[in-house]
Amino acid sequence: MNLPCLIVDIGGVLELTPHTGWPGRWERRLGLPEGAIEERMADVWAAGMVGGIDEPGVSAQLTARLGLDGEQLTALLDDLWADYLGSPNQEMIDYLAGLRSRCRIAVLSNSFVGAREREQAAYGFAGLAEHLVYSHEIGVQKPDPRAFAAALTALDATPAECLFIDDHAPNIEGARAVGMHSHLFTGNADAIARIERHLGG
């Protein structure tokens, strides 16, 4: 009999990611109007989330669209990735690390090009889950049914075998629509209790 499956989000679940306000700081530093970075870079951010641009391409577009020099580019990227990576939700990470004998685990993340390498360096997620499924590598984002299908395929699992944990309600609705059990993450205690019920604990 197959072990039950658990599919978890990263940002807001395994990483605590309060917004740092880096775009506003950089707009003030560069003398740009409020909202200019999002306005000028929105298509690049969108492309980076589905693998439509690589990291050198992102850097080139930041340089061209925001008028950055090399030092500014390096500093801005440092701020961007600090915001993206946040800090570890160590309680959840430690809990999941202890589940490998009880279930099959995959990560399913709406990500940005370069995230896998940086998250592995910071948090070692490859040792936490059997499979890491990143939107920038598969070309689609949650709640697209194809994103959930990619995680299920990686685990060789049916939707009914899986519990999906995410902090974004539309993704929870998307998981339910494809037949997965799901839980909206609002805190560690409730999430752990829901996982234990799924595992029969």
Side-chain angles (χ1 to χ4, degrees):
M1 178 178 175
N2 283 340
L3 290 173
C5 297
L6 178 62
I7 301 174
V8 296
D9 179 39
I10 294 181
V13 179
L14 299 182
E15 294 169 354
L16 305 175
T17 53
H19 293 300
T20 63
W22 72 267
R25 291 196 305 275
W26 275 93
E27 285 159 357
R28 292 188 292 275
R29 179 173 175 177
L30 297 170
L32 299 174
E34 182 178 353
I37 290 178
E38 179 60 31
E39 180 181 343
R40 297 182 188 185
M41 298 301 297
D43 62 324
V44 175
W45 302 151
M49 294 188 72
V50 292
I53 191 170
D54 60 13
E55 287 194 79
V58 172
S59 293
Q61 290 301 319
L62 281 166
T63 298
R65 297 184 186 197
L66 302 183
L68 305 178
D69 61 30
E71 183 178 334
Q72 289 172 327
L73 174 65
T74 298
L76 185 147
L77 286 171
D78 285 346
D79 282 351
L80 182 159
W81 283 110
D83 182 280
Y84 185 100
L85 293 170
S87 60
N89 184 353
Q90 201 61 52
E91 182 182 14
M92 279 300 296
I93 291 171
D94 291 345
Y95 170 72
L96 293 179
L99 292 182
R100 291 294 294 270
S101 65
R102 299 175 59 196
C103 66
R104 293 170 287 158
I105 301 174
V107 159
L108 178 60
S109 176
N110 283 356
S111 53
F112 193 75
V113 60
R116 176 186 288 269
E117 297 79 9
R118 287 171 176 83
E119 287 175 335
Q120 180 59 25
Y123 305 126
F125 289 148
L128 189 70
E130 295 177 35
H131 304 282
L132 304 177
V133 182
Y134 284 99
S135 68
H136 74 274
E137 295 174 350
I138 63 172
V140 290
Q141 300 181 69
K142 300 170 292 186
D144 190 309
R146 293 172 293 175
F148 299 109
L152 291 169
T153 297
L155 288 168
D156 190 22
T158 65
E161 292 176 301
C162 292
L163 172 65
F164 173 67
I165 308 287
D166 197 290
D167 65 323
H168 193 47
N171 297 337
I172 293 297
E173 294 164 7
R176 289 176 178 157
V178 301
M180 296 169 64
H181 305 284
S182 59
H183 173 79
L184 180 65
F185 184 89
T186 57
N188 292 339
D190 287 348
I192 291 170
R194 179 65 184 89
I195 292 168
E196 286 296 322
R197 291 197 301 273
H198 180 66
L199 301 182

